[in-house]
Amino acid sequence: MSAPETFGSGNPYGDPNWYNGAYHSAYYKETHKAWRKRCRTFVDEHIIPYVSQWEVNKAVPKETYIQCAEAGLLPIVVGAHSGAFDLVPYDAPEDLDYFHELIFVDELARCASGGVLWGLIEGLQIGLPPVLNFGSDEMKKRVAPDCLMGKKIISLNITEPNAGSDVAAIKTVAKKEGDFYIVDGNKKWITNGIFSDYFTCAVRTGGPGMRGISMLLLEKGDGITTKRMDCQGVWPSGTTYVEFDSVKVPARNLIGKENEGFGVIMKNFNHERWGFVVQASRLSRCLIEDSWEFANKRSTFGKKLVEHPVIRWKLAEMTRQVEGTHHWLENLTFQLCKMPKDQAMTTLGGPIALMKAHSSKVFEYCAREARQIFGGNAYTRSGLGERAERLYRDVGAYAIPGGSEEILLDLAIRQGNKSKLEGNRITELRNAKSSLPLFANSAIPILEFAMRGRARSTRLGAIFWRLERRF
């Protein structure tokens, strides 16, 4: 009996278990296997050999974006259902779904550099979807193809010096003057900002709070100043402080509707956070793989490190957490493939937030344990522990952006509790259905609709809430 075909290095837990031909999976088909090979070939040839130099240069070369696009890989990062491949002269993988995106980002993360990951794909992954989902057809045709083909760089500009997770508190202002908006303000910690040709920007066009926010597309030019920020990690990502000084923006660059930008931002979060989990999971796995190899080479007290029970315990603790994270990730990816977009946005918001917080905690744990296994080698920026040292510095970039761990953990529980309360109220309505007057009985489906939060802000919704209290 021939041995099952294995893809990759075959190191214990160095790859997801479906890479081992002995394992069966309900998620992956032949199209995914072919795509995986295509991704690994590109990453092994065009990314991994150059990571150390790109870290020193604090930038990914422009030609690498174009190479990634020409390989037919780059457009996948804006979402399987985005229609990105319809805008570029590249063929999408057969039966395109979110597992294809997972595979590409996971394989790319084998570079073991959050900075290279973010430098190459993050601005595109979070900056272009608002244009694709809410921009005019003219805007999509004007902006998206060049970004998807690696010719132009786009960034998402939401965070400000005094507004991070509290998005509704942004202060950057856009005042309408004829056919233009005049934008003044600043943004901070903007990924790819210093490289950007386009800035997808949250601005205040109305009153305070979430209902006064709009999204605008700004183009590099007069009035926009970018300054690289020296950060602990993710160096090639181009973390940037951006200033807008009376920037004149055509009104046609409004993304969506005026004062409805908060919804545009929220629609983006699930996909952004999901992408962070894919990255953090593989970066954690890189730390396991490196630690495992080092523990089998390094000797102390006359024994290989791996022969010491405490080292095996560390490897086991790292592995169980990473394997658990990846299985969770695959499950929620499957839901993204199957659920309608609007349902996924509400139903999966809490679970994805929880998973994102979990993945960065696992990444932090693995980074620390890997450093302990490597010892002094993980305290230098070259040699055997280079990747462990680098990833230890990159952890914070996953624990804070996209919603800090604390914010996301709280969000997950609040949303779960909200769903439970709404479910209870709908059940009560259904149980009382037989005793209601005919008019109220016929209003039950609409009441349920209102109670799910879809009509609460409308006049009609208010009427139905009063009906519910009446009957």
Side-chain angles (χ1 to χ4, degrees):
M1 184 176 179
S2 60
E5 182 181 355
T6 295
F7 185 87
S9 65
N11 290 336
Y13 307 104
D15 285 307
N17 63 25
W18 72 280
Y19 283 42
N20 184 328
Y23 278 79
H24 301 272
S25 172
Y27 303 127
Y28 303 100
K29 306 172 186 176
E30 288 304 316
T31 177
H32 298 111
K33 293 178 181 179
W35 177 254
R36 176 184 63 184
K37 182 177 180 180
R38 185 170 160 187
C39 294
R40 180 156 291 208
T41 298
F42 176 83
V43 172
D44 283 349
E45 181 178 346
H46 296 285
I47 304 297
I48 289 178
Y50 310 106
V51 170
S52 296
Q53 189 58 51
W54 294 347
E55 284 281 336
V56 172
N57 296 344
K58 297 185 177 181
V60 175
K62 185 69 175 179
E63 59 266 24
T64 303
Y65 296 87
I66 296 173
Q67 290 170 344
C68 189
E70 290 178 343
L73 304 176
L74 192 60
I76 195 75
V77 303
V78 293
H81 299 154
S82 67
F85 281 97
D86 296 331
L87 300 170
V88 292
Y90 312 128
D91 293 329
E94 184 181 357
D95 298 327
L96 174 63
D97 64 16
Y98 280 100
F99 282 103
H100 289 96
E101 183 179 358
L102 187 159
I103 290 167
F104 172 58
V105 177
D106 180 69
E107 282 290 323
L108 185 60
R110 290 175 49 249
C111 70
S113 166
V116 169
L117 272 168
W118 286 22
L120 184 59
I121 68 170
E122 198 60 33
L124 181 66
Q125 188 173 49
I126 64 179
L128 191 61
V131 173
L132 295 176
N133 292 324
F134 295 94
S136 66
D137 289 340
E138 181 276 330
M139 182 187 294
K140 292 176 193 176
K141 292 176 182 177
R142 172 165 50 95
V143 174
D146 279 352
C147 293
L148 293 168
M149 291 190 289
K151 298 176 181 179
K152 295 285 182 71
I153 306 299
I154 191 169
S155 59
L156 182 66
N157 294 248
I158 296 176
T159 303
E160 297 181 358
N162 295 303
S165 296
D166 185 9
V167 175
I170 67 161
K171 295 181 179 179
T172 296
V173 175
K175 295 182 179 179
K176 188 77 177 289
E177 294 185 4
D179 293 331
F180 294 88
Y181 288 95
I182 306 301
V183 179
D184 287 281
N186 46 52
K187 301 291 181 179
K188 196 172 184 181
W189 300 290
I190 304 305
T191 301
N192 290 185
I194 199 166
F195 312 129
S196 289
D197 300 288
Y198 298 111
F199 302 79
T200 305
C201 190
V203 295
R204 187 161 300 285
T205 50
M210 67 179 70
R211 299 188 189 283
I213 295 175
S214 298
M215 292 293 287
L216 283 176
L217 180 73
L218 279 64
E219 302 179 43
K220 187 176 182 179
D222 293 342
I224 299 179
T225 304
T226 59
K227 181 181 179 181
R228 181 189 293 276
M229 297 176 65
D230 290 325
C231 298
Q232 182 182 42
V234 293
W235 293 349
S237 70
T239 306
T240 307
Y241 185 84
V242 185
E243 293 183 275
F244 304 115
D245 184 9
S246 298
V247 181
K248 195 173 183 180
V249 183
R252 67 172 182 163
N253 281 15
L254 180 67
I255 301 173
K257 297 180 181 179
E258 190 172 277
N259 296 328
E260 294 185 12
F262 194 79
V264 176
I265 296 168
M266 292 299 107
K267 190 175 181 69
N268 216 30
F269 270 143
N270 276 0
H271 183 252
E272 175 184 355
R273 291 165 180 165
W274 173 85
F276 282 151
V277 177
V278 180
Q279 296 176 37
S281 179
R282 173 58 85 163
L283 295 177
S284 300
R285 200 180 288 278
C286 288
L287 291 163
I288 293 175
E289 190 171 23
D290 288 1
S291 297
W292 203 295
E293 290 185 353
F294 184 76
N296 276 280
K297 293 178 181 177
R298 170 80 163 147
S299 296
T300 60
F301 305 106
K303 294 192 295 186
K304 297 291 184 184
L305 277 182
V306 76
E307 294 176 323
H308 294 285
V310 68
I311 299 298
R312 294 197 298 271
W313 178 85
K314 287 179 180 293
L315 292 171
E317 283 292 296
M318 294 162 70
T319 299
R320 71 171 179 82
Q321 294 181 56
V322 172
E323 286 292 293
T325 302
H326 196 81
H327 284 294
W328 191 1
L329 172 62
E330 288 178 325
N331 175 266
L332 290 187
T333 302
F334 184 68
Q335 309 314 314
L336 286 172
C337 291
K338 296 298 183 182
M339 283 187 190
K341 277 187 177 182
D342 289 342
Q343 183 183 6
M345 181 178 171
T346 54
T347 302
L348 300 182
I352 288 177
L354 197 62
M355 181 174 65
K356 194 265 187 185
H358 175 76
S359 70
S360 60
K361 285 177 174 290
V362 170
F363 182 20
E364 181 177 29
Y365 180 88
C366 290
R368 186 187 187 283
E369 291 303 290
R371 190 180 68 168
Q372 294 305 107
I373 292 171
F374 274 92
N377 286 292
Y379 200 64
T380 53
R381 292 180 177 172
S382 61
L384 295 173
E386 176 185 349
R387 302 203 325 167
E389 187 277 332
R390 179 168 64 233
L391 290 176
Y392 190 85
R393 287 186 286 104
D394 286 351
V395 167
Y398 289 84
I400 300 170
S404 68
E405 291 173 352
E406 293 76 10
I407 293 292
L408 296 186
L409 291 170
D410 180 64
L411 171 66
I413 300 307
R414 284 191 293 108
Q415 289 205 351
N417 193 49
K418 178 181 175 183
S419 296
K420 175 64 175 174
L421 291 173
E422 289 181 353
N424 288 345
R425 297 179 75 177
I426 290 171
T427 300
E428 290 172 4
L429 273 174
R430 287 173 175 166
N431 291 339
K433 183 175 180 179
S434 60
S435 62
L436 290 174
L438 179 61
F439 168 74
N441 191 30
S442 65
I444 286 288
I446 310 176
L447 283 169
E448 292 177 359
F449 181 77
M451 291 175 67
R452 292 186 186 279
R454 314 240 177 140
R456 292 181 185 177
S457 61
T458 67
R459 187 176 179 184
L460 183 62
I463 293 171
F464 289 140
W465 280 108
R466 287 196 291 273
L467 273 175
E468 184 229 343
R469 290 197 296 271
R470 167 66 180 84
F471 295 106

